[in-house]
Every structure is written in C-alpha cells, then in structure tokens.
C-alpha cells in the first residue's frame, strides 16, 4: 500500500500541536506560612495545591521549596525560581502578577493573654516592641512606621519566623506580633498556645483584606504566559467547585 507522505506529515503536525504548548518545570518558593504555604511535605498549603491543580493537568511539573521569605523573593527576582507563593504587589512590585488573585489576607495583632493593648494607630505602637518578619509588607500605615522606627520592631527571618516571634511574645520579649489572621490562628493552634496568646483588638479601618497572589519572576520570559494560565485556571477551578474543595481542606471558604 502506498503511503501519502504529505498526509502523514500533516497528521504528525496535528499530533504535536495537540500536546501542551509548554511542558515546563515551575519552581515555586515560599516560607512556611500555613494555611497559604507549608513545608511542602506534611503540609503543602492551599496556594501550592492551586498551582498544581492548574499547571499539572497541562503537562507542567510543579516543584516547591521553602526558605526565608526574603530569600524566596530574591531568588524569584533573579530568575533562580519561577515564582513565589503568597505575594502582594507591595512585597515585590517588579514581579508578574495574574489578573485573578489566589486569596486575601487580613493583618491582625497578637498579644499575650490578658494584655489590654490594642492597635489604635501607630501611636499605640510606641508602648510595645513589635515582632515582624523580614521583607514582609503589612499595611501602609504600619509599613511606614516600621521604616521610620526600626528600634521599635524586632525583625525575624527563617522558614518559621512567625513561630519564633510567637515564642518571643510568650517569653515577654515582644509586646505584640503582627501577621495574617488565618496564619495566626493556624500557628497558634499548632503550637498549642491557646490561653497563652490572643488576637488583639484593632481599629476597624485596619482590618481590610488585601489580595494575595502566586507571582512570577520578572526575569522569566514565560512569566506572562504563566500568569495568564493561572488566571484562566482560577476561573475554571471556581466554576467546577474544585477551588472550594481545596480550600475546605484547610477550613477555609472562597473569599468571593
């Protein structure tokens, strides 16, 4: 039987075009910031779950590594890793962000149980030593205070920086710790610190959600494509109900 080679070549081309346009390895980094990002072993965090749910069905491989947040940002900025989990434009303005966010964050303060202190503007911070994490951004008023008053804060770094700050809080080295509401609740429960620390009251204008993203390296030429794929994938996950299933594993609900 004679083979029509032109027809065969067209079949081969069609087969190739049906394969994923990009079959890449995406290396994502973050610190241990559950329930958003975990250690990658016992605890993945829901942002990594979203990344895998979006990219792996398309043929991509998602690799995850943990480290201090400042190191993760530096490696993303240099192109050493593909992206970072749990970023905001204030954290890393030069990164490539999807149009659809992957979560929201509300910053709250934590104090020792029984402490009457509450956040009532930056003036209230003068009475305490505040525990923060290196290269984190919080909210504008607090970020400005930190820059202007470095002696009023204690900066911690490392994979589990929040745990270190909470221990210093319990030991009396700090008067308050600031972090995301969900992260504080998760970490306090995991460290069995209920009864030793409590979420402090704050003025209503502080408790405003900010958007969180999986952000991609400004050095990677494919970052715009990854951001687009992630935005489209978020819509698909939400519509199918898979997003809610992912969030439910961490006791969370869709923010929209």
């Amino acid at each position: 039987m004679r083979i029509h080679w032109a027809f065969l070549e067209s079949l081969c081309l069609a087969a190739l075009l049906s394969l994923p346009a990009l079959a890449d390895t995406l290396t994502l980094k973050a610190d241990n910031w559950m329930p958003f990002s975990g250690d990658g072993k016992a605890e993945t965090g829901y942002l990594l779950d979203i990344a895998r749910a979006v990219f792996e069905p398309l043929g991509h491989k998602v690799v995850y590594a943990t480290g201090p947040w400042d190191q993760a940002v530096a490696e993303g900025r240099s192109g050493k890793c593909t992206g970072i989990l749990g970023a905001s434009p204030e954290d890393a303005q030069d990164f490539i962000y999807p149009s659809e966010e992957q979560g929201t964050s509300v910053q709250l303060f934590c104090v020792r149980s029984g402490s009457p202190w509450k956040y009532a503007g930056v003036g209230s911070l003068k009475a305490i030593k505040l525990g923060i994490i290196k290269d984190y951004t919080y909210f504008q008023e607090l970020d400005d205070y930190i820059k202007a008053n470095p002696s009023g804060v204690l900066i911690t770094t490392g994979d589990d920086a929040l745990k270190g700050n909470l221990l210093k809080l319990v030991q009396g080295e700090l008067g308050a710790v600031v972090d995301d509401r969900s992260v504080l609740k998760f970490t306090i429960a995991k460290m069995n610190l209920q009864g030793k620390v409590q979420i402090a009251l704050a003025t209503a204008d502080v408790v405003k959600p900010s958007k969180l993203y999986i952000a991609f390296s400004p050095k990677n030429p494919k970052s715009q494509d990854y951001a687009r794929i992630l935005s489209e994938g978020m819509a698909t996950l939400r519509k199918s109900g898979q997003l809610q299933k992912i969030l439910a594993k961490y006791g969370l609900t869709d923010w929209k």
Side-chain angles (χ1 to χ4, degrees):
M1 183 177 69
R2 304 176 92 183
I3 298 174
H4 196 306
W5 289 108
F7 176 71
L8 185 58
E9 287 175 355
S10 66
L11 287 178
C12 292
L13 179 59
L16 288 172
L17 290 175
S18 68
L19 294 173
L22 300 169
D24 301 332
T25 296
L26 282 73
T27 302
L28 304 177
K29 293 205 71 171
D31 57 355
N32 199 336
W33 201 49
M34 286 292 289
F36 298 103
S37 56
D39 58 14
K41 299 172 185 177
E43 298 172 336
T44 57
Y46 86 79
L47 291 177
L48 180 58
D49 293 347
I50 285 176
R52 287 174 171 165
V54 169
F55 288 102
E56 290 185 346
L58 299 178
H60 304 298
K61 181 179 180 181
V62 175
V63 176
Y64 176 63
T66 60
W69 180 245
D70 55 318
Q71 177 182 315
V73 173
E75 291 188 7
R77 181 167 285 125
S78 68
K80 189 174 181 180
C81 69
T82 311
I84 54 178
L85 304 180
S88 68
E90 292 77 21
D91 276 325
Q93 296 179 6
D94 52 337
F95 278 59
I96 308 302
Y97 289 84
S99 59
E100 181 74 16
E101 77 274 9
Q102 284 70 63
T104 59
S105 175
V106 173
Q107 301 296 322
L108 293 180
F109 295 84
C110 183
V111 296
R112 288 187 300 278
S113 292
S115 171
W117 185 88
K118 67 177 182 179
Y119 182 81
V122 293
S124 61
L125 293 170
K126 296 178 181 179
I128 62 160
K129 189 83 167 182
L130 179 66
I132 63 171
I133 297 174
K134 186 176 181 181
D135 284 354
Y136 270 31
T137 58
Y138 298 98
F139 52 89
Q140 192 62 54
E141 185 179 53
L142 179 57
D143 293 340
D144 291 342
Y145 172 85
I146 291 169
K147 291 177 182 178
N149 299 274
S151 63
V153 299
L154 188 149
I155 302 173
T156 305
T157 189
D159 289 5
D160 291 307
L162 177 58
K163 290 183 180 180
N165 277 346
L166 288 173
L167 287 175
K168 291 182 178 71
L169 179 66
V170 172
Q171 295 163 0
E173 298 176 39
L174 294 172
V177 170
V178 60
D179 214 304
D180 171 80
R181 173 174 55 193
S182 297
V183 178
L184 282 171
K185 290 180 178 179
F186 187 97
T187 309
I188 288 168
K190 186 174 182 180
M191 295 178 69
N192 295 314
L193 293 180
Q194 302 94 328
K196 295 182 180 180
V197 299
Q198 65 187 36
I199 304 296
L201 296 175
T203 52
D205 60 327
V206 172
V207 189
K208 292 180 179 179
S210 59
K211 294 180 179 180
L212 290 177
Y213 299 84
I214 299 172
F216 299 97
S217 170
K219 292 290 187 180
N220 193 317
K222 296 183 179 180
S223 286
Q224 291 288 358
D225 290 328
Y226 295 146
R228 175 185 52 79
I229 291 169
L230 181 55
S231 294
E232 294 171 355
M234 285 295 296
T236 300
L237 293 180
R238 182 169 278 117
K239 185 176 181 179
S240 68
Q242 190 176 354
L243 176 61
Q244 185 50 53
K245 290 180 181 179
I246 291 172
L247 294 171
K249 291 176 10 183
Y250 303 92
L252 303 173
T253 57
D254 194 345
W255 55 95
K256 287 193 172 182

